[in-house]
Amino acid sequence: MSLQPVRIGLIGCGRIGRVHALSVTAAPGAELSTVVDAVPAAAESLGELHGARVAATPEEVLASDDVDAVIIASPTATHVDLIDAAIDAGKPALCEKPIDLDIARVEALRAKASAATTPIMLGFNRRFDPHFSALHARVASGEIGRLEQLSIISRDPAPAPTDYLAVSGGIFRDMTIHDFDMARHFVPDVVSVFASGTAQFSEDIAGLGDYDSVVVVLTGREGQQVTITNSRHAAYGYDQRLEAFGSEGLLEAGNVTDTVVRRWSADAVEVREPYQNFFLERYAAAYQRELAAFVAAIREDAPVPVGFHDGWAALVLADAAARSAAEGRVVEVDLDA
């Protein structure tokens, strides 16, 4: 396998599946071998676009001798069963977040996933963003001393369609879950969660009993503070920022524009282009680097950088935040359980 491309089977050919297909076809060490989707036309169009075989079922993909590993980009409700099946088939799997909306289903698979020798990686792609990754490396090197506070800001340009939000599991499990994983990337041992949520601008979201704006405070075992600010809209584009404050200084990763060109004129100075307006633009490099890390783990028979435990922990924090916001209190968590 070290001399040949890793042959990837893609389960799920919707929007995120197509993102993964592009990452696979762009990667020198991978090849898109087979695709499948519950909507055959989606699989057929993607297979034709990338020259991949179209399978009839996920079981066919997992049983194929022409597939070395799979990417699970199907609906969330299918993830647990497909991870379970991938372990049984001995196929390394990269699964989109979250593992499931029901922590009990995740718990039921946890022991098996922990004992498996088959690599199971979770799709928390933001860890692989070049800007956030560089900031994390510099914090880990001690450049700003002991990390004391981490601020994560994540605001979408506009809410997702209401029919999607209705089945998403709510803002904490759908949107903030990325930020929970990023928080644990810097502060793995979170011990308490306090969350506040409001529905300020979207009647549709309020009608679902969900929040369009949330603020979360996480506390680490050594007293570190992590604040997460989310909103389902931002008039100025996709707002994605990190600030790490430590005993010896501060590091910040700001928003991204298409170029770094600025304009000075009589009516304004230092005018930049708008922020990138969609996650596919902002995190294109992150998805590619995520895929490269998955392929490297397979080739080198090494642990994946983001595993099943990380997916479980992010969902534990999401559930705790939902409880905290509903009850107006701090919720303690045990991520060592």
Side-chain angles (χ1 to χ4, degrees), residues 30-50:
E31 171 188 302
L32 189 62
S33 166
T34 309
V35 298
V36 67
D37 194 272
V39 179
E44 290 164 6
S45 65
L46 192 63
E48 182 178 358
L49 179 63
H50 294 294

Side-chain angles (χ1 to χ4, degrees), residues 213-230:
S213 312
V214 299
V215 176
V216 183
V217 179
L218 308 176
T219 302
R221 191 174 303 280
E222 298 177 359
Q224 310 98 313
Q225 296 172 311
V226 181
T227 58
I228 298 171
T229 303
N230 286 166

Side-chain angles (χ1 to χ4, degrees), residues 28-272:
E31 171 188 302
L32 189 62
S33 166
T34 309
V35 298
V36 67
D37 194 272
V39 179
E44 290 164 6
S45 65
L46 192 63
E48 182 178 358
L49 179 63
H50 294 294
R53 181 175 70 86
V54 178
T57 64
E59 292 76 15
E60 180 184 338
V61 175
L62 289 166
S64 174
D65 292 334
D66 296 327
V67 172
D68 301 314
V70 296
I71 295 176
I72 300 170
S74 48
T76 299
T78 68
H79 291 178
V80 165
D81 291 339
L82 288 172
I83 292 173
D84 192 14
I87 293 171
D88 288 343
K91 303 283 190 188
L94 168 59
C95 181
E96 268 300 324
K97 64 81 195 169
I99 300 174
D100 198 84
L101 298 179
D102 183 353
I103 193 66
R105 297 196 73 220
V106 179
E107 290 278 6
L109 186 60
R110 208 173 149 210
K112 182 175 181 177
S114 298
T117 57
T118 302
I120 302 297
M121 180 167 163
L122 264 290
F124 287 115
N125 66 293
R126 295 183 190 180
R127 291 196 187 204
F128 301 94
D129 173 72
H131 313 286
F132 296 163
S133 179
L135 191 151
H136 180 269
R138 291 171 68 171
V139 170
S141 74
E143 184 172 332
I144 59 169
R146 178 186 177 274
L147 179 65
E148 297 175 357
Q149 295 178 323
L150 179 71
S151 299
I152 304 172
I153 294 174
S154 178
R155 299 184 177 104
D156 285 349
T162 305
D163 57 351
Y164 168 79
L165 294 176
V167 298
S168 69
I171 190 170
F172 293 117
R173 298 179 186 89
D174 171 54
M175 182 178 178
T176 322
I177 198 163
H178 275 292
D179 304 310
F180 289 135
D181 181 70
M182 183 60 69
R184 288 195 60 253
H185 193 32
F186 286 83
V187 183
D189 298 322
V190 174
V191 296
S192 70
V193 181
F194 180 75
S196 172
T198 59
Q200 298 191 60
F201 59 84
S202 173
E203 293 183 2
D204 289 339
I205 292 176
L208 296 172
D210 196 10
Y211 312 115
D212 55 40
S213 312
V214 299
V215 176
V216 183
V217 179
L218 308 176
T219 302
R221 191 174 303 280
E222 298 177 359
Q224 310 98 313
Q225 296 172 311
V226 181
T227 58
I228 298 171
T229 303
N230 286 166
S231 175
R232 288 288 195 184
H233 75 172
Y236 48 87
Y238 196 34
D239 190 2
Q240 301 286 291
R241 288 176 279 155
L242 276 182
E243 179 188 279
F245 172 80
S247 57
E248 303 298 328
L250 179 144
L251 289 165
E252 180 184 49
N255 282 309
V256 176
T257 59
D258 286 338
T259 75
V260 295
V261 176
R262 298 186 182 188
R263 175 177 62 85
W264 282 255
S265 65
D267 61 347
V269 297
E270 296 190 53
V271 178
R272 298 192 294 170

